[in-house]
Amino acid sequence: MNRRKELEKDLNQQELFEALSALNNSLDSAFHEKYDRSLPFTELMFDRWERAKKLGFGEGSSIYDNSLVFGKVSVGKNCWVGPFTILDGSGGLVIGDFCTISSGTHIYSHDNVKQTLSSGNLPIDREKVIVGKNTYIGPNTIISKGVSIGDYCVVGSQSFLKSDVPDYSIVAGQPAVIIGKVIIDKEQISFNYKK
């Protein structure tokens, strides 16, 4: 009798797998046809805007299903949080309105370096991170605990930020340094890079 139940369970799992595979193929084909994109199954199944709403993010913001969110994270309205990102709010994280947090970006508000080096005798260090409004964070950037990034900033791809960034700055590098300024004149935006 137990073997029969095992076989039935295996058959039910196989049927479920086949049904999920068919659903994935159908959704993927429709999404590719409509948007010219092919995404992982969970991204096809779950709405990015609904997840953001559930997390308490501002109106119009979205976050991919494969992004990780820890601790207290506050995100303003009309923000795009790309795939494969980490938002660590264990020490506090605030992201302003109209920000882009590009794919692969990691924002950390803690580290356990001293705890590790002290064999656990020292606590985890936590410091709040702030990203100002209308700020663009390029792909694969790492932002360290305690950093404040101003409003209207551009952070270049693959940068490592370990110190504060003033408003209207363009920063890049490892560690990131100011390489220019964002200039906003009425409806025009330009970039003034250092020579």
Side-chain angles (χ1 to χ4, degrees):
M1 191 73 155
N2 287 337
R3 180 67 182 140
R4 181 178 173 167
K5 286 183 180 178
E6 287 177 21
L7 286 172
E8 287 174 359
K9 184 178 176 185
D10 288 343
L11 286 173
N12 288 339
Q13 288 176 350
Q14 182 64 29
E15 289 172 3
L16 178 60
F17 175 78
E18 289 172 4
L20 288 173
S21 292
L23 178 60
N24 180 47
N25 289 333
S26 174
L27 289 173
D28 187 51
S29 294
F31 202 81
H32 190 266
E33 185 177 314
K34 185 172 183 179
Y35 300 108
D36 198 24
R37 294 181 182 188
S38 178
L39 298 176
F41 184 51
T42 58
E43 299 300 341
L44 296 168
M45 285 289 297
F46 304 109
D47 185 275
R48 292 184 281 141
W49 292 268
E50 279 298 315
R51 182 172 187 221
K53 188 176 180 181
K54 186 174 109 178
L55 289 168
F57 293 4
E59 184 180 337
S61 290
S62 70
I63 181 170
Y64 278 75
D65 186 61
N66 57 29
S67 297
L68 305 178
V69 180
F70 305 106
K72 186 171 175 49
V73 175
S74 173
V75 175
K77 62 184 178 182
N78 297 309
C79 292
W80 182 80
V81 180
F84 309 112
T85 53
I86 296 176
L87 302 181
D88 164 27
S90 63
L93 172 57
V94 176
I95 298 172
D97 296 341
F98 291 95
C99 288
T100 292
I101 311 298
S102 294
S103 303
T105 293
H106 294 190
I107 303 175
Y108 295 103
S109 62
H110 87 283
D111 74 45
N112 66 339
V113 175
K114 291 178 184 175
Q115 184 188 54
T116 300
L117 295 173
S118 70
S119 299
N121 293 319
L122 293 174
I124 292 173
D125 286 334
R126 299 179 197 280
E127 289 182 60
K128 188 176 194 173
V129 173
I130 298 171
V131 177
K133 66 181 180 182
N134 298 79
T135 289
Y136 176 88
I137 309 293
N140 299 315
T141 292
I142 297 175
I143 300 171
S144 186
K145 71 179 186 332
V147 170
S148 286
I149 302 170
D151 299 338
Y152 303 96
C153 291
V154 175
V155 177
S157 299
Q158 299 183 11
S159 294
F160 170 59
L161 278 75
K162 65 176 190 157
S163 55
D164 292 351
V165 177
D167 294 347
Y168 299 96
S169 294
I170 303 169
V171 298
Q174 300 168 354
V177 295
I178 295 174
I179 62 168
K181 286 285 188 193
V182 175
I183 300 165
I184 300 175
D185 182 24
K186 297 184 183 178
E187 294 294 319
Q188 295 227 342
I189 297 174
S190 59
F191 306 105
N192 183 7
Y193 292 97
K194 290 184 176 182
K195 305 242 184 234

